[in-house]
Amino acid sequence: MVPFHAEQAGAVLSFLHADRRRGLSAAEARARLDKYGPNSLPGARRRAAWKRFLRQFHDVLIYALLIAAALTAVLGEWLDTAVILGVVVINAVIGFVQEGKAEQALEAIRKLLSLRATVLRDGRATEVSADALVPGDIVLLQSGDKVPADLRLLEVRSLQIDEAALTGESLPVYKAVDPVAAHAPIGDRGCMAYSGTVVTFGQGVGVVVATGQQTEIGRISAMMEEVGEIQTPLLRKLAAFGRRLTAAIAIVAAGLFMFGTLVRDYGPSDMFMAAVGLAVAAIPEGLPAIMTIILAVGVRRMAARNAIVRSLPAVETLGSVTVICSDKTGTLTRNEMTVRKVVTADADFEVEGAGYAPHGGFVAQDRSVLPSDRPELIEIGRVAALCNDARLVEEDGTWRVEGDPMEGALLSLAAKAGIDLAFESEALPRTDVIPFESEHRFMATLHHDHAGHGYVMLKGAPEQVLGMCNRERAGGQDRPIDRAYWLESAQRIAADGHRLLALAIRPATDGERTLKFSDVEGGGFVMLALLGISDPPREEAIAAIAQCRAAGIRVVMVTGDHAVTARAIGVALGLGKAPVVVSGAQLDAMDENDWRRVAREAAIFARVSPAHKLKLVETLQAQGQLVAMTGDGVNDAPALKRADVGVAMGMKGTEAAKEASDMVLADDNFATIAHAVEEGRGVYANLKKAIVHVLPTNAGEAAMMLLPIVFGASAVLPITPTQILWVNMVTTVALTLSLAMEPVEPDAMRQPPRDPREPMLSRFLVWRLCLVGALLVAGSYGLYLHELAQGSSVELARTAAVTALVVGEAFYLFNSRHLTASVVSWEGLTGNRYVLVSLAVFAALQAAFIYAPPMQTLFRTESLAFDHWIRIFGFGAALFAIVEAEKWLLRTRARAPAGPVVAKQGNP
């Protein structure tokens, strides 16, 4: 694209063969429309709903469940079939609802475009549809307009444009017509107006230099289409787990069939039934439903803490992030401009208080100062209040500004200096004004009191105001101005990341009732003060960053602001005493090796473009990091989509950013991200507890299918497939769901992020699974054999075996509340009331399973006597005690002093 921002306006008009006074002719406009196409973005490529729904079944574990459903249907086990298919369909519906965010994000970007535009055609101002604009059209802008295409500005009159959606900067940008450097970032291209941005003040005229896909917003749209969806760690692990589990079940089931028919000489039909029973036993049918519910509980908890999760897997991913790339304005800062420093000719004052609330005081040399003791503060406050067009409004205890945020900061300063804003405007009403314009970089107002005394009050850029002053005020007296002092003070304040503003005053001359540029620029002003204005950090964001760093999470600030301002805010936020800052211009000059280095080392990326943000995310991911990216503008959408967790702002975020994200912050506060990470870690811990609780049961059931045949005892199954489904989908789910309500572990945010490459089942969890699975098999199969030895029927022996299995699982539920910590305490036994509720539900269900006649007919069970229950509960208590003893041994081993050679301890 031609760098029109680097060319003089006349050269741009010549290049585009455009006429500033007449615009294009209707015929030329039609010809260019045929050549360049309409000024619109292409719609998102949509897949048919039925195709998106069918894609939800493309998963190995789902295939295994469907095969199991088919086999149970062949065997006439219709209850089994219905339950399995129910689980599959529920999961498919959830996935279908969650999909399609990219299409919605692209549609949201298209909605940002203007619908109408005012252009010159054949010398007349004409309103046309925005999609009919072509390069070379002369567009007229005024306050409230949405810029319809990318424009090179030709004329401006106090033109301000809100470019937050494109650059992330919170303040409107003053526009000019002078060209800028060819490599200037978008935020510094003062002579350009970009499609989708909004005119907040003034008027302007520009020539269209890009339309449709060639605009900056069009490039972002194209970038969005190219960015692929990132699969979350949880989904990757589940997919790998499902493939391995399915392959293992298929191999074992086939091996069982071959072994039984060829070695044990059992009938093929009996062995087919046994192989199907093993497959049904080994597949954790209830696990997808349990995991979905645990994630949904996490969504509800996060919503209660102002984090609205749009994608269920993102709940767990948040707990895994290793890097958070955060926007600055409004997320790490308050998005409220505040005067922080006041420098006079003989003193420096720090201003207390944050935001627009008129509460706070002044500090000089570490001592509080009353404005009544320093009259210059009162005079500074008066000029700040009167040379001002904004208003402060209080609503429900919250102060906001109507007008320019910088002027709102001046009103707050005036109130802190004791100025009654309403009284001052009546005591010194405004007679005339020269409004602020980017060409002259100052605002001047003329005021007269009721006695006829007049004053000209001035505010503006320091270098401009200094040139109009010949004296300065110190200690209530005027003296010749020390320009070197003021320039040095300006550099010092700017180095702290503050925006600068100068205030000055002079008496009006006799009869001066109007203001003219020549009169004001003629000088004669008295310099009052330099003001340092900034958007202060959120106090809660400072604490949240410290919490994240303690949790091993690196926080990186990514902002469209200038490097000096970003560095100062970064230091205040705790990103380091001397954080490494990299600008967008520096990134453009880097090769891949430099990119990898700064991605590892830099704490702040300033003045960056959408492409920079996207590449930063991709570079960090290539280094094995799990990245959360925050943003609010259209410029953030590609990076939000690419990140492992995209986090959009709910209050000031664009719809494009929200649709591209996985999570939306209802309060736009970085501290909410830290809370969400903590909840995400809790969700993963609960998922792990659920898996460790569910899988031993499946392992035990599968082993009970194997043991009789392997040892040649009998081809009669100790548990039927229907009874297996009862255990898996009713009692197991009823018990395990209570683990979804486990509170977050107290030390969750004092642990480092887990390795993203960590498998779903670590060695520790495999050991625990094997231990508990073996105990469940020993207890349930032992009771089955015991009942047969006592002459009981196969139905009664099966009932005892199933009940022992689920009672052992109920006792193990308490063990599962903490993977290694003891639960032999009041908190361990009663700390989660949902565990107690689930046990009550489980008891009622299991009693119906055993004693209700319809259930006895359906599941082929028989009633148990009191002595059966003694043996069953004795087994459950023994299992509980053995697992607690294993935990004690693990804790003792972890506390033991290291010897010459120590095996590396894995984190469970």
Side-chain angles (χ1 to χ4, degrees):
M1 182 181 293
V2 177
F4 293 106
H5 54 272
E7 301 292 337
Q8 293 288 344
V12 175
L13 288 170
S14 176
F15 179 84
L16 295 171
H17 304 290
D19 186 331
R20 161 65 188 92
R21 299 303 168 193
R22 294 190 55 78
L24 300 177
S25 66
E28 178 64 18
R30 284 194 297 271
R32 294 192 184 192
L33 187 62
D34 292 337
K35 179 179 179 180
Y36 295 108
N39 177 36
S40 60
L41 300 181
R45 294 190 298 269
R46 294 184 177 273
R47 289 191 301 270
W50 65 271
K51 289 184 178 180
R52 287 201 291 123
F53 183 72
L54 289 181
R55 279 189 72 251
Q56 309 309 315
F57 297 91
H58 184 54
D59 181 86
V60 176
L61 192 56
I62 296 298
Y63 292 152
L65 289 174
L66 290 174
I67 292 171
L71 293 176
T72 53
V74 169
L75 296 172
E77 302 289 349
W78 298 110
L79 177 64
D80 302 16
T81 304
V83 171
I84 295 173
L85 290 178
V87 172
V88 171
V89 171
I90 289 172
N91 279 278
V93 169
I94 292 173
F96 176 76
V97 171
Q98 292 294 330
E99 198 171 295
K101 289 188 302 174
E103 298 172 359
Q104 296 165 358
L106 288 169
E107 189 62 29
I109 291 177
R110 295 180 74 234
K111 290 178 181 177
L112 288 172
L113 302 183
S114 177
L115 298 178
R116 308 290 295 177
T118 301
V119 300
L120 289 180
R121 292 276 173 90
D122 294 314
R124 297 169 54 190
T126 306
E127 189 177 83
V128 300
S129 174
D131 59 11
L133 288 180
V134 295
D137 260 326
I138 305 298
V139 176
L140 310 180
L141 299 175
Q142 62 182 353
S143 182
D145 285 351
K146 186 176 283 188
V147 180
D150 284 3
L151 310 177
R152 172 61 165 90
L153 295 172
L154 307 173
E155 299 175 20
V156 296
R157 174 70 177 174
S158 302
L159 183 63
Q160 297 179 45
I161 297 181
D162 181 357
E163 297 181 338
L166 200 61
T167 66
E169 287 205 58
S170 57
L171 296 178
V173 179
Y174 288 99
K175 292 297 181 177
V177 298
D178 296 330
V180 297
H183 298 293
I186 291 176
D188 290 338
R189 297 176 188 173
C191 59
M192 296 291 294
Y194 288 104
S195 178
T197 60
V198 179
V199 178
T200 60
F201 190 80
Q203 298 85 37
V205 178
V207 58
V208 175
V209 296
T211 59
Q213 200 79 346
Q214 300 304 311
T215 63
E216 287 295 331
I217 203 170
R219 293 173 60 198
I220 294 173
S221 176
M223 206 182 301
M224 280 286 294
E225 289 192 274
E226 295 169 2
V227 173
E229 294 281 357
I230 293 294
Q231 194 177 38
T232 68
L234 178 64
L235 294 180
R236 290 195 296 268
K237 291 175 185 177
L238 283 176
F241 175 73
R243 288 192 296 269
R244 295 190 185 109
L245 181 63
T246 303
I249 291 171
I251 291 171
V252 173
L256 177 67
F257 179 83
M258 299 296 291
F259 181 84
T261 53
L262 299 178
V263 178
R264 297 301 184 193
D265 292 327
Y266 293 131
S269 60
D270 290 338
M271 289 316 305
F272 181 75
M273 183 66 179
V276 171
L278 184 143
V280 172
I283 294 174
E285 295 92 344
L287 188 58
I290 291 169
M291 299 184 82
T292 299
I293 292 171
I294 289 176
L295 292 173
V297 169
V299 168
R300 182 179 61 79
R301 285 180 173 176
M302 289 183 183
R305 303 184 79 169
N306 292 318
I308 312 303
V309 177
R310 304 181 65 252
S311 170
L312 279 182
V315 178
E316 179 274 335
T317 309
L318 270 167
S320 312
V321 296
T322 58
V323 180
I324 299 176
C325 297
S326 177
D327 188 20
K328 174 182 72 70
T329 304
T331 309
L332 296 172
T333 63
R334 297 173 61 91
N335 197 21
E336 296 177 346
M337 302 305 292
T338 305
V339 178
R340 309 296 292 176
K341 292 181 180 294
V342 176
V343 176
T344 65
D346 58 357
D348 283 15
F349 299 94
E350 299 286 338
V351 185
E352 297 176 321
Y356 300 122
H359 309 306
F362 299 85
V363 176
Q365 297 179 341
D366 297 325
R367 297 180 63 182
S368 295
V369 175
L370 294 176
S372 57
D373 296 333
R374 301 299 293 261
E376 65 267 36
L377 289 176
I378 298 176
E379 188 170 26
I380 290 166
R382 182 174 292 114
V383 174
L386 296 178
C387 190
N388 201 310
D389 288 327
R391 290 180 62 240
L392 283 185
V393 180
E394 182 185 15
E395 292 181 353
D396 300 325
T398 300
W399 290 84
R400 63 179 179 83
V401 63
E402 291 183 351
D404 189 286
M406 295 272 279
E407 293 194 328
L410 295 183
L411 292 178
S412 177
L413 172 72
K416 293 172 185 177
I419 300 298
D420 185 323
L421 302 179
F423 175 79
E424 288 295 333
S425 62
E426 293 178 2
L428 282 168
R430 181 184 295 183
T431 309
D432 198 10
V433 61
I434 296 177
F436 184 95
E437 290 191 14
S438 54
E439 290 89 346
H440 52 253
R441 302 169 66 201
F442 69 81
M443 174 183 181
T445 55
L446 174 62
H447 301 264
H448 286 86
D449 62 20
H450 298 294
H453 302 115
Y455 303 90
V456 180
M457 300 183 182
L458 179 70
K459 73 177 182 193
E463 59 273 23
Q464 185 71 20
V465 173
L466 274 173
M468 301 158 70
C469 295
N470 56 12
R471 301 187 69 77
E472 65 186 22
R473 189 154 295 167
Q477 303 296 318
D478 292 351
R479 66 190 186 191
I481 192 167
D482 182 353
R483 298 186 188 280
Y485 165 80
W486 291 107
L487 291 173
E488 184 276 328
S489 296
Q491 291 176 354
R492 175 165 47 86
I493 298 172
D496 290 334
H498 298 294
R499 298 173 187 262
L500 293 172
L501 200 65
L503 302 182
I505 191 170
R506 72 164 170 82
T509 59
D510 292 339
E512 188 175 10
R513 308 299 296 183
T514 60
L515 285 179
K516 299 178 181 177
F517 276 103
S518 58
D519 295 337
V520 176
E521 292 177 327
F525 283 89
V526 177
M527 183 73 172
L528 295 180
L530 280 175
L531 306 181
I533 306 174
S534 67
D535 181 9
R538 292 177 181 262
E539 292 297 326
E540 60 271 32
I542 296 173
I545 287 175
Q547 185 183 27
C548 287
R549 296 182 74 174
I553 301 170
R554 179 175 161 222
V555 179
V556 177
M557 182 198 297
V558 183
T559 177
D561 218 330
H562 291 281
V564 172
T565 303
R567 177 183 280 107
I569 293 294
V571 171
L573 286 165
L575 295 180
K577 293 183 179 179
V580 177
V581 182
V582 181
S583 69
Q586 292 172 311
L587 292 174
D588 287 333
M590 290 182 180
D591 59 20
E592 289 300 320
N593 289 331
D594 290 332
W595 260 98
R596 287 191 287 270
R597 177 180 55 79
V598 298
R600 288 192 304 270
E601 299 174 358
I604 300 170
F605 292 83
R607 223 61 176 156
V608 291
S609 69
H612 293 144
K613 294 182 179 182
L614 178 59
K615 182 156 187 177
L616 174 60
V617 172
E618 292 173 338
T619 304
L620 288 168
Q621 289 172 334
Q623 294 173 353
Q625 305 294 329
L626 252 66
V627 183
M629 167 66 80
T630 77
D632 55 12
V634 182
N635 59 322
D636 299 315
L640 290 175
K641 181 183 175 185
R642 175 69 187 186
D644 296 285
V645 182
V647 183
M649 304 299 110
M651 297 173 66
K652 63 185 181 69
T654 61
E655 287 303 312
K658 294 175 187 177
E659 294 296 346
S661 68
D662 302 292
M663 185 175 81
V664 177
L665 301 185
D667 57 359
D668 289 11
N669 193 337
F670 181 86
T672 301
I673 303 176
H675 297 326
V677 169
E678 184 178 22
E679 291 292 347
R681 291 188 171 191
V683 164
Y684 183 76
N686 291 347
L687 284 171
K688 194 156 54 173
K689 293 171 185 177
I691 291 171
V692 172
H693 185 255
V694 168
L695 292 186
T697 306
N698 293 97
E701 293 166 356
M704 291 180 71
M705 300 296 103
L706 282 170
L707 290 177
I709 297 169
V710 170
F711 293 108
S714 171
V716 178
L717 300 178
I719 301 180
T720 67
T722 306
Q723 291 171 342
I724 288 171
L725 260 296
W726 170 264
V727 174
N728 286 355
M729 290 304 300
V730 182
T731 57
T732 299
V733 171
L735 291 172
T736 308
L737 280 183
S738 62
L739 295 175
M741 307 307 296
E742 280 292 316
V744 179
E745 299 285 349
D747 63 345
M749 291 299 281
R750 294 193 295 273
Q751 302 293 327
R754 69 178 183 278
D755 188 342
R757 295 163 296 186
E758 176 188 287
M760 179 68 74
L761 292 178
S762 64
R763 285 179 296 175
F764 165 81
L765 297 184
V766 171
W767 153 251
R768 175 66 61 79
L769 186 156
C770 293
L771 171 66
V772 177
L775 292 174
L776 289 174
V777 170
S780 58
Y781 193 55
L783 284 172
Y784 172 78
L785 294 177
H786 173 79
E787 294 302 327
L788 290 180
Q790 296 297 316
S792 300
S793 65
V794 171
E795 287 73 16
L796 181 61
R798 284 174 170 169
T799 305
V802 171
T803 305
L805 191 65
V806 296
V807 167
E809 196 173 356
F811 273 91
Y812 179 53
L813 179 65
F814 287 102
N815 299 120
S816 300
R817 288 201 59 220
H818 300 304
L819 292 179
T820 56
S822 173
V823 294
V824 185
S825 65
W826 183 254
E827 185 280 330
L829 298 176
T830 64
N832 183 351
R833 61 188 176 91
Y834 295 96
V835 168
L836 304 179
V837 172
S838 69
L839 287 173
V841 173
F842 153 74
L845 290 172
Q846 193 62 23
F849 174 83
I850 296 170
Y851 297 109
M855 302 288 275
Q856 289 180 334
T857 302
L858 182 62
F859 291 102
R860 294 189 289 278
T861 60
E862 291 187 7
S863 299
L864 297 179
F866 182 73
D867 61 318
H868 295 130
W869 284 109
I870 292 177
R871 288 189 288 272
I872 289 170
F873 272 93
F875 157 68
L879 186 150
F880 176 84
I882 292 171
V883 175
E884 285 302 303
E886 179 246 10
K887 290 184 185 181
W888 177 81
L889 288 172
L890 286 174
R891 294 195 303 273
T892 302
R893 182 183 177 192
R895 288 193 299 266
V901 180
V902 180
K904 185 176 181 181
Q905 296 291 322
N907 187 343

